Amino acid sequence: MTVLVRISNLTRVFDVSKPWLNRVIERLPRATLTAVRGVDLEIGEREVYALVGESGSGKSTIGKMVVGLLPPSGGSVEIDGVDPARETDREALGRLRADVQMIFQDPYASLNPRWKVRDIINEPVAARGGDASGLAGRLLEKVGLDAEDGEKFPHEFSGGQRQRIGIARALASGPRFIVCDEPTSALDVSVQAQVLNLMSDLKDDLGLTLLFISHDLTIVRHMADKIGVLYLGHLVEEAPPDELFGDPKHPYTRMLLAAAPRIDGFGREAEPPKGEIPDPINPPPGCAFNPRCALADEVCRARHPELRSLRGARVACHFAE
């Protein structure tokens, strides 16, 4: 497998302190929130890598760092051997920006309401001085819309149609790698299926590599080649879908799977998830999951587990066996 994206020890810290004058009056120290903590993962060419976890686990933050919308506080992101945070060759950076695109979560907020759809789709090519004649019409037809829709404004479309426009815009620069940040979470269930089928077809037709961010395990099971589970900024488990769903090794992964809706689950007794996610500004010592884990003991509260290989997966748990 050729590795296209390599993420090494990726960390992101946000300063969430009160304004300086408030801190002086109230005698408060600076407060920081570590949203992503030392994440290591690799995404192979033409592979779909899914990141899952509860809200606040750091999924979208990783996605924004990968495409360059947020600078990492530590670690690195290499795409086809180029680290955009350290690369000084402007030509190489320009090629990289064309190769990497993002589909955003909210189709209502990600499109400029003052621009026609044609101009929104053409912008990535026109901004680099390329020939965008006829491009919008071809891409609109590729994502299941009509070429004449390019003359309309975003408010004239439904949520599912807007997300298709967002996909067309992401394809405009001919990318190799697309970050999909929960692209179906704001859509109805039937429309979700249409958008997911469209993305799967485009991935096969165009040879795309996808980082698919979602909190819905039922979606990623059928989309992903590999799944990474995030908890409080840590990558706690990584495995292919069959391995993850058939033999989950981390207690948090088992909790997520038990809470997921199932077609055959009518009348089943599923134990509800225990506890709340700890305060990320003041996380617990040791394993971040230990306040909610039935297996936790003194070693879990004292020492953070390292991510290690185990039966076809990588898992960060002292008692994964």
Side-chain angles (χ1 to χ4, degrees), residues 40 235-239 249-251 295 299-300 303-321:
D40 292 287
L235 186 66
V236 297
E237 187 166 356
E238 179 191 81
K249 297 169 181 62
H250 197 282
L295 302 178
V299 68
C300 302
R303 182 163 54 88
H304 178 72
E306 297 296 325
L307 197 65
R308 57 196 171 90
S309 297
L310 178 68
R311 299 197 306 272
R314 294 197 301 158
V315 60
C317 178
H318 294 299
F319 300 108
E321 289 81 358

Side-chain angles (χ1 to χ4, degrees), residues 15-295:
D15 188 339
V16 294
S17 307
K18 289 186 176 182
W20 175 80
L21 185 59
N22 293 66
R23 296 203 312 272
V24 171
I25 295 173
E26 301 174 35
R27 298 183 180 181
L28 295 174
R30 279 189 174 275
T32 59
L33 187 155
T34 306
V36 179
R37 301 167 181 266
V39 170
D40 292 287
L41 60 88
E42 294 179 349
I43 306 174
E45 195 159 9
R46 301 195 176 193
E47 185 176 76
V48 178
Y49 190 105
L51 276 178
V52 299
E54 293 169 297
S55 297
S57 59
K59 307 184 298 298
S60 295
T61 303
I62 290 177
K64 290 175 182 176
M65 285 192 285
V66 169
V67 299
L69 292 177
L70 279 176
S73 302
S76 64
V77 177
E78 288 187 7
I79 301 172
D80 201 16
V82 177
D83 182 349
R86 296 180 174 86
E87 183 60 55
T88 56
D89 186 345
R90 296 185 65 180
E91 187 175 334
L93 277 175
R95 289 195 301 269
L96 183 65
R97 291 193 179 104
D99 283 342
V100 180
Q101 293 295 318
M102 188 167 188
I103 300 170
F104 294 92
Q105 179 174 354
D106 186 355
Y108 291 91
S110 62
L111 304 177
N112 190 331
R114 296 177 179 269
W115 285 20
K116 289 184 177 181
V117 167
R118 179 196 63 230
D119 298 324
I120 291 172
I121 296 174
N122 287 341
E123 183 192 14
V125 176
R128 302 181 68 207
D131 181 13
S133 58
L135 175 67
R138 293 194 300 272
L139 288 176
L140 285 170
E141 290 177 347
K142 187 179 284 291
V143 298
L145 297 175
D146 195 288
E148 296 179 359
D149 289 335
E151 299 303 316
K152 298 178 181 178
F153 289 91
H155 72 268
E156 300 179 67
F157 297 90
S158 68
Q161 290 172 323
R162 288 191 190 199
Q163 198 59 288
R164 289 171 184 265
I165 294 168
I167 294 171
R169 179 182 59 184
L171 296 174
S173 64
R176 297 171 60 195
F177 175 57
I178 299 179
V179 175
C180 310
D181 185 8
E182 303 209 36
T184 60
S185 64
L187 307 177
D188 295 335
V189 174
S190 60
V191 181
Q192 285 183 12
Q194 295 172 13
V195 172
L196 289 171
N197 288 334
L198 170 64
M199 292 177 63
S200 182
D201 292 341
L202 290 173
K203 182 254 181 185
D204 294 335
D205 294 343
L206 303 177
L208 300 173
T209 303
L210 303 180
L211 173 59
F212 195 92
I213 296 168
S214 179
H215 61 270
D216 191 338
L217 287 165
T218 56
I219 288 176
V220 302
R221 181 171 192 171
H222 302 289
M223 282 283 296
D225 299 301
K226 194 183 294 181
I227 301 174
V229 181
L230 282 175
Y231 182 76
L232 212 65
H234 296 279
L235 186 66
V236 297
E237 187 166 356
E238 179 191 81
D242 291 343
E243 183 69 30
L244 188 87
F245 282 81
D247 181 23
K249 297 169 181 62
H250 197 282
Y252 177 60
T253 307
R254 292 198 288 271
M255 187 189 80
L256 287 181
L257 292 174
R262 285 166 37 187
I263 293 177
D264 62 346
F266 182 76
R268 72 183 173 117
E269 294 294 331
E271 187 176 351
K274 295 180 179 178
E276 297 289 335
I277 297 178
D279 182 1
I281 298 176
N282 186 27
C287 175
F289 190 61
N290 81 74
R292 306 171 69 184
C293 182
L295 302 178

